[in-house]
Amino acid sequence: TMLKEPAVLRRNILDTTAAILACGIDPKKCFLFRQSLVPEHAELAWILGCLTNVPRLLRLPQWKMKCTSQNNEGTVGLLTYPVLQAADILLYKSTHVPVGEDQVVHLELAQDIAQHFNKKYGEFFPVPKAILSEM
């Protein structure tokens, strides 16, 4: 949600890709792609944002914490980022999502959005379950 210099962003993308490959991810066995090049992420986020009410987003702890640290001038991007996260999960019809404890509330939002969408338009999205990582 914070703007970056294009050169820094490009370097970060390459560094992240290198780290993923260094962890042993085999690109012959899985798809590696730059999410920002897939317009369906933003398109689904828009649709899901139209189904998500603002008071629910305002109650998310990350919004409250970051907005406070930004002198109560949080951006729309920061407020709606959890909806984009939900779109990222639901777009691929994910059934299980590895999350840390701090992201459980965002996964719960994705679950609620999936249930709301399914109730309104018929069963389409699986309701994803959390796989909690152990630290």
Side-chain angles (χ1 to χ4, degrees), residues 9-29:
L9 183 58
R10 281 190 292 277
R11 188 174 58 248
N12 288 348
I13 291 168
L14 291 175
D15 289 350
T16 300
T17 303
I20 290 169
L21 294 172
C23 288
I25 298 296
D26 184 351
K28 294 178 184 166
K29 295 181 180 179

Side-chain angles (χ1 to χ4, degrees), residues 40-50 52 80 83-85 87-88:
E40 289 83 359
H41 284 268
E43 292 167 358
L44 183 57
W46 174 258
I47 292 167
L48 299 180
C50 292
T52 306
T80 60
V83 178
L84 177 61
Q85 287 180 308
D88 295 343

Side-chain angles (χ1 to χ4, degrees), residues 51-121:
L51 297 173
T52 306
N53 68 50
V54 173
R56 173 69 193 277
L57 297 176
L58 292 172
R59 288 193 301 270
L60 292 173
Q62 285 85 348
W63 164 258
K64 290 179 183 178
M65 184 175 61
K66 288 187 178 182
C67 190
T68 300
S69 71
Q70 296 176 1
N71 297 321
N72 292 317
E73 293 190 16
T75 65
V76 171
L78 180 61
L79 179 65
T80 60
Y81 186 73
V83 178
L84 177 61
Q85 287 180 308
D88 295 343
I89 293 165
L90 299 176
L91 183 63
Y92 298 99
K93 297 192 173 187
S94 303
T95 58
H96 293 80
V97 180
V99 294
E101 195 67 43
D102 63 326
Q103 290 296 310
V104 168
V105 292
H106 288 173
L107 184 60
E108 289 170 350
L109 177 68
Q111 293 168 334
D112 292 347
I113 290 172
Q115 290 168 339
H116 182 68
F117 187 97
N118 291 343
K119 184 177 179 184
K120 190 169 186 76
Y121 299 107

